[in-house]
Amino acid sequence: MAAVSWCWRSNNNSLFFLILIRNSLRPCPHFWFRVHFYVSNDVKILTLADCFRPKRKNETSMKIHEYQAKAILARYGVTTPRGEVAFTKEEAREAAQRLKSHICVVKAQIHAGGRGKAGGVKLARSADEAADIAGHILGMKLVTPQTGPAGRIVKRLLIEEGLDIKRELYLGLLVDRASSRVVFMASTAGGMEIEEVAKENPAAILRETIHPAVGLQAYQARKIAFGLGLPIEVMNYATPFLQALYRAFTDTDASLLEINPCVLTGDGKLVALDAKMTFDDNALFRHKELRELRDLDEEDPLEVEASKYGLNYIKLDGSVACMVNGAGLAMATMDIIKYAGGSPANFLDVGGGASAEQVKNAFRILMNDPAVKAVFINIFGGILRCDVLATGVVAAAKDLHLKVPIVVRMEGTNVEVGQQILRDSGLNFTIAKDMKDGAQKVVALAGGAR
């Protein structure tokens, strides 16, 4: 099988194509774009139209609930427990009755692991008990290591049949950046935090790198099964089970698929007792059915609000709000704030072509964070001219009646004009001469170094 790369660039309005056939390729030069497609029995081609589709600025990894992930896996032939989603106590009772299982499991559905230890997973031995447990869990704030101290409010439950569990295993698929390939991970330490297992006993985790031209081969699946110590009689069943997981991962353009635990039952079957899937947002335009699974209640409200305006925003725990154009500059800005003794309150990239209205929307989102004590605006004026930015900043400060101190560092096109607009505004802007100066001033205005 051959890996084929098409490289494209524009030069004096002409198109040039270069075909490279090799196992590993260096990144294309600046302003080059590369499309990979692999020739196999099942040809999957990423078209040039797909490659050059503009990426929405609000895209981040999208998570779904356990019951949604299991529904996807079931379509690929992965065995999952029988279950139903419930939003009320009565729905939980009815679901348990339909399952007709002597034991059922009531599981809180939030986008975080560690639910069992937090009290979000309970066993019930009757439909009435399942309803009582559901009434207790619904509306509960679950706090786990992955939710942080704020926790998550439980608004939906998964009611599942109980299983005769003999062994618990870990299975996971993810994209390995080092090898630029999908890696299948497995461990006999199922039901545990895999991060802890990797830290304390790395040898306990099996890894199988998968070539994208051929997918997960049968011999690789058997190698994983043998490594997990599965009985011989389970081997024939394990191979298609593992290959189905890989197909579900690649077909949905997932960035993570985790089964923890995958259990071996008393009758010798492998069952995905839990399921976690995260999807690459760059590919969601191909999966309308996946976009509809998004649960906004599980996302930070400020991040959801930012996505409406095409802003890249991630909330952090500090007190210095950042407004920057360009992801690289935004990362450097957060670093220099930490270096100056402060702590960034967010990552916010307004993009290279932000308008005055976008700047205003960005300010509104920043100010909705009560932890913000000062704002650091760090802009390199290329596509976004400094005078345009300054006009937007002044208008936003007046319209929103901003009370917190604002430090502005600008460089680039029309920087002198932009700085003069800030000085003539009559507002209390602090103009920094460079990034270091700006970081030191904003940290001081936010209350000083910690």
Side-chain angles (χ1 to χ4, degrees), residues 294-366:
R294 184 182 182 189
D295 184 359
L296 298 181
D297 289 338
E298 290 294 313
E299 301 179 28
D300 186 280
L302 293 180
E303 294 179 14
V304 173
E305 183 70 12
S307 70
K308 297 177 182 178
Y309 303 111
L311 299 170
N312 281 321
Y313 175 87
I314 299 174
K315 188 178 182 306
L316 302 174
D317 298 328
S319 60
V320 178
C322 308
M323 185 189 301
V324 190
N325 66 330
L329 184 59
M331 296 296 290
T333 301
M334 292 191 295
D335 285 343
I336 203 166
I337 288 172
K338 293 290 288 186
Y339 183 76
S343 183
N346 64 274
F347 170 98
L348 175 58
D349 173 16
V350 297
S355 63
E357 186 64 22
Q358 265 190 309
V359 171
K360 181 178 178 180
N361 291 327
F363 262 118
R364 183 184 295 109
I365 291 165
L366 294 180

Side-chain angles (χ1 to χ4, degrees), residues 185-230:
M185 300 195 306
S187 175
T188 56
M192 301 173 60
E193 294 290 340
I194 196 63
E195 295 84 2
E196 293 300 319
V197 176
K199 180 179 179 181
E200 297 174 3
N201 186 16
I205 300 178
L206 308 173
R207 293 175 175 85
E208 196 66 30
T209 301
I210 304 169
H211 196 292
V214 295
L216 180 67
Q217 295 295 285
Y219 81 90
Q220 292 178 300
R222 289 193 295 269
K223 183 178 177 182
I224 294 171
F226 276 114
L228 293 173
L230 295 177

Side-chain angles (χ1 to χ4, degrees), residues 135-414:
H136 175 70
I137 296 179
L138 284 170
M140 174 193 294
K141 182 171 78 171
L142 281 188
V143 179
T144 77
Q146 294 184 16
T147 66
R152 287 282 191 275
I153 302 298
V154 180
K155 296 185 178 181
R156 60 186 80 186
L157 304 169
L158 175 59
I159 313 299
E160 275 189 340
E161 65 176 337
L163 298 177
D164 177 18
I165 299 173
K166 296 302 182 184
R167 289 184 60 191
E168 295 188 3
L169 310 169
Y170 171 88
L171 300 175
L173 289 132
L174 53 82
V175 179
D176 177 32
R177 293 180 180 272
S179 63
S180 299
R181 294 182 180 180
V182 175
V183 173
F184 204 127
M185 300 195 306
S187 175
T188 56
M192 301 173 60
E193 294 290 340
I194 196 63
E195 295 84 2
E196 293 300 319
V197 176
K199 180 179 179 181
E200 297 174 3
N201 186 16
I205 300 178
L206 308 173
R207 293 175 175 85
E208 196 66 30
T209 301
I210 304 169
H211 196 292
V214 295
L216 180 67
Q217 295 295 285
Y219 81 90
Q220 292 178 300
R222 289 193 295 269
K223 183 178 177 182
I224 294 171
F226 276 114
L228 293 173
L230 295 177
I232 296 297
E233 58 271 20
V234 181
M235 289 296 175
N236 290 336
Y237 175 73
T239 298
F241 182 91
L242 299 177
Q243 289 178 318
L245 288 176
Y246 175 74
R247 287 197 305 274
F249 180 87
T250 55
D251 287 357
T252 59
D253 290 302
S255 55
L256 173 70
L257 194 166
E258 191 175 61
I259 311 297
N260 189 21
C262 174
V263 300
L264 178 63
T265 62
D267 55 358
K269 291 184 179 180
L270 289 174
V271 180
L273 194 63
D274 194 4
K276 176 181 180 180
M277 294 187 76
T278 302
F279 302 100
D280 182 356
D281 276 6
N282 292 304
L284 282 179
F285 71 98
R286 290 199 291 251
H287 304 284
K288 181 181 178 181
E289 75 285 358
L290 296 181
R291 293 202 306 268
E292 294 173 352
L293 300 179
R294 184 182 182 189
D295 184 359
L296 298 181
D297 289 338
E298 290 294 313
E299 301 179 28
D300 186 280
L302 293 180
E303 294 179 14
V304 173
E305 183 70 12
S307 70
K308 297 177 182 178
Y309 303 111
L311 299 170
N312 281 321
Y313 175 87
I314 299 174
K315 188 178 182 306
L316 302 174
D317 298 328
S319 60
V320 178
C322 308
M323 185 189 301
V324 190
N325 66 330
L329 184 59
M331 296 296 290
T333 301
M334 292 191 295
D335 285 343
I336 203 166
I337 288 172
K338 293 290 288 186
Y339 183 76
S343 183
N346 64 274
F347 170 98
L348 175 58
D349 173 16
V350 297
S355 63
E357 186 64 22
Q358 265 190 309
V359 171
K360 181 178 178 180
N361 291 327
F363 262 118
R364 183 184 295 109
I365 291 165
L366 294 180
M367 293 302 99
N368 281 335
D369 183 354
V372 169
K373 305 300 180 186
V375 178
F376 185 22
I377 300 174
N378 189 13
I379 297 293
F380 178 78
I383 299 175
L384 175 60
R385 302 196 321 262
C386 293
D387 58 323
V388 174
L389 170 81
T391 301
V393 168
V394 171
K398 291 180 177 178
D399 291 348
L400 300 176
H401 307 290
L402 298 182
K403 305 297 183 183
V404 299
I406 300 172
V407 177
V408 183
R409 176 262 181 180
M410 294 187 296
E411 289 292 345
T413 306
N414 291 350

